[in-house]
Amino acid sequence: MRRLQLYNICLFWQPPIITNFPKEMSVLETQGGDAFLYHVEVHDPTVPPDPVCCTLENVRPQTHNFELRHNGTHYVLFTHKNPAFAYKDINSYIVSVCCEDGFGTVKGLLQINIKEVREHVNYKPPCKNTKYCNRQHQATDARCQVVS
């Protein structure tokens, strides 16, 4: 007599999960090119895990200042080789990263704020024979400049 064996096979399909995306981050407007910005952690809960593919889906306002690279095992957000950040023109970007595994898709949004870099210039006022700037102070105070 043959014995009948039953097997339960559970198929578990879920989209990948971006596990570490912050809501926002900042970049200096003087940021150079090919600079590392963020390591995107993606996990596929399917057992066994499916291969996951991530792309830089969208950047608003539109720019080529950012790129998503795959280094073989991870997805990493970098600045483009020639970024053009100007706080006075655009002070914030919304970056959309899309990851899919063939069964589902997940999107992560990241706000990248551009930080203004202000050049600090020391002001050296001219003096015209004032109480503060007389011949005696001129010799001892480098801030004092006598104007005739």
Side-chain angles (χ1 to χ4, degrees), residues 3-9:
R3 202 168 165 189
L4 181 63
Q5 290 185 343
L6 297 174
Y7 294 95
N8 285 335
I9 298 175

Side-chain angles (χ1 to χ4, degrees), residues 29-114:
E29 68 179 333
T30 55
Q31 180 65 57
D34 277 336
F36 167 83
L37 294 179
Y38 203 77
H39 171 93
V40 181
E41 288 283 340
V42 182
H43 171 70
D44 183 34
T46 306
V47 179
D50 298 313
V52 176
C53 178
C54 294
T55 57
L56 185 61
E57 181 184 56
N58 198 346
V59 179
R60 292 285 176 221
Q62 188 174 0
T63 183
H64 295 287
N65 284 338
F66 308 102
E67 60 184 60
L68 189 67
R69 299 179 190 165
H70 186 249
N71 66 7
T73 55
H74 299 98
Y75 288 92
V76 184
L77 186 64
F78 279 87
T79 58
H80 190 265
K81 63 182 175 181
N82 296 312
F85 297 116
Y87 175 83
K88 291 180 181 179
D89 296 332
I90 299 171
N91 61 12
S92 182
Y93 294 92
I94 301 293
V95 174
S96 174
V97 173
C98 179
C99 296
E100 59 183 308
D101 66 356
F103 297 104
T105 302
V106 65
K107 291 182 185 181
L109 295 176
L110 173 62
Q111 181 173 330
I112 300 178
N113 298 314
I114 307 303

Side-chain angles (χ1 to χ4, degrees), residues 118-143:
R118 295 182 183 174
E119 188 176 321
H120 182 71
V121 178
N122 288 330
Y123 177 68
K124 188 174 183 180
C127 297
K128 287 189 175 190
N129 295 327
T130 63
K131 287 183 181 179
Y132 176 76
C133 187
N134 57 30
R135 300 259 181 235
Q136 186 179 19
H137 283 107
Q138 182 180 355
T140 60
D141 193 343
R143 294 177 299 168

